[in-house]
Amino acid sequence: MYFGSIKFFKHLIVIALALVLSALGLMVVFLSIENNSLREQIAAYENGGNPPASPTDSQNPDGTKDGDSSDNSGEITDEPTPEPPTPELVWPPLPSGNYGQLFPSLYAQVAPWEIRHTPEQANYVYFTFDDGPNHMTNSILNHLSNTGTHATFFVIPRESTASIMQKIRDEGHAIGVHSYSHSLGEIYASVEAFLEDFDKARNLIYEQTGILSDFFRFPGGSKNEYNEATRADIIAEMHRRGFVYFDWNVDSNDVRRASYDTMRREVRLDIAENHEAGNRSIVLFHDAADFTSWVVGDLIELIKASPTGYEFKTLCHNTRPHMW
């Protein structure tokens, strides 16, 4: 009989030994896993994390452990460190001179670092008119209107110029600041004097047109015999305030009483030379010159008829400036 025999007990002992060995093997595997887990927790704690949890620690449903005080004082938490606030963009620092504090509202609408220049091409032509409005401005506007051309007017506003200033605006032309007094000896005497003159002109332009212009042309150009001592400081302060100025690279010489034929010929030649050199043309005219209003219409038609394919444009603060 097998049951109760010696053979039966031998088999029973083998099975018991196998079960004991399996249990020991499972225990070894479990302890190895637990040991690795504890090692990872200890390493995390040494690197700044939370301390390893005790096997006897229990956690409540609200996330606190048994024995924790209600104020949680002295505990290490996982709350993130708040990021420092992003600093606001500020205008460039004030200059050393007292003029930096003057006219606190005299700043361009666009900060210097936000200006994005529009693409420029060599076939662009900018007709610009200085020193108006005056008795000749209406005639110039008629020629521009008849040829479907827009130009830029650097103006000297007066209380009496509101209607003509509004006409310049309504017909789609650009308006830049030129001066209020146009008295070069006075406005270039100091940075303070220039700012005062500029502020008066800009405010009056705004009153008459609603345009708050951020670009200008220096009376006499950015380099002249009156501003040698103050030029660098004036330019630095105007740039700091965000304003852009434009010189020119084609001079009609109308202010020097150039004849109709001379302007008609020389302006076209200068524009062609600029184009050949890969440059756009910014042409200087003056409203009050004798032959300007007569020649403007003819020049526009001749330039537009050129096979070069010139395009007339207006200046603004986003136009890449031309500076001497």
Side-chain angles (χ1 to χ4, degrees), residues 102-251:
L102 298 176
F103 310 102
S105 63
L106 185 57
Y107 281 82
Q109 300 169 88
V110 179
W113 58 83
E114 293 178 341
I115 294 177
R116 300 293 182 268
H117 293 149
T118 53
E120 295 286 330
Q121 298 180 22
N123 65 329
Y124 284 2
V125 177
Y126 299 85
F127 271 18
T128 66
F129 297 87
D130 287 11
D131 297 356
N134 52 49
H135 64 288
M136 299 298 292
T137 305
N138 259 321
S139 177
I140 293 172
L141 289 174
N142 289 337
H143 288 297
L144 294 171
S145 177
N146 292 337
T147 57
T149 304
H150 293 118
T152 303
F153 289 80
F154 290 101
V155 299
I156 305 174
R158 292 288 180 271
E159 297 297 335
S160 60
T161 60
S163 60
I164 189 65
M165 291 282 287
Q166 291 162 11
K167 184 177 181 180
I168 294 172
R169 175 203 63 194
D170 293 344
E171 295 187 0
H173 305 292
I175 298 177
V177 181
H178 192 40
S179 177
Y180 182 81
S181 68
H182 208 272
S183 177
L184 276 62
E186 294 178 6
I187 65 176
Y188 291 128
S190 65
V191 181
E192 293 88 342
F194 185 89
L195 292 174
E196 181 178 4
D197 183 275
F198 186 92
D199 187 61
K200 286 181 180 179
R202 187 171 184 250
N203 287 338
L204 187 52
I205 292 170
Y206 179 71
E207 290 176 13
Q208 295 183 346
T209 67
I211 295 173
L212 204 55
S213 185
D214 289 347
F215 67 99
F216 69 102
R217 173 169 286 160
F218 282 105
S222 63
K223 289 183 179 179
N224 59 73
E225 60 181 307
Y226 295 92
N227 69 0
E228 291 180 358
T230 57
R231 176 179 182 270
D233 288 338
I234 291 174
I235 290 175
E237 179 62 6
M238 294 303 285
H239 280 173
R240 187 187 71 82
R241 293 174 181 251
F243 296 106
V244 178
Y245 73 88
F246 292 91
D247 287 313
W248 58 89
N249 59 2
V250 177
D251 190 346

Side-chain angles (χ1 to χ4, degrees), residues 268-283:
R268 291 165 58 206
L269 287 174
D270 288 347
I271 291 174
E273 288 179 3
N274 281 336
H275 182 268
E276 186 176 352
N279 300 319
R280 62 192 170 156
S281 291
I282 300 177
V283 188

Side-chain angles (χ1 to χ4, degrees), residues 250 252 262-271 283 299:
V250 177
S252 68
T262 299
M263 283 193 286
R264 188 172 181 270
R265 179 182 65 255
E266 296 299 328
V267 169
R268 291 165 58 206
L269 287 174
D270 288 347
I271 291 174
V283 188
L299 273 173

Side-chain angles (χ1 to χ4, degrees), residues 4-21:
S5 64
I6 295 175
K7 187 176 183 180
F8 166 78
F9 284 109
K10 286 182 179 179
H11 288 169
L12 185 62
I13 293 171
V14 171
I15 293 172
L17 287 173
L19 291 174
V20 171
L21 291 174

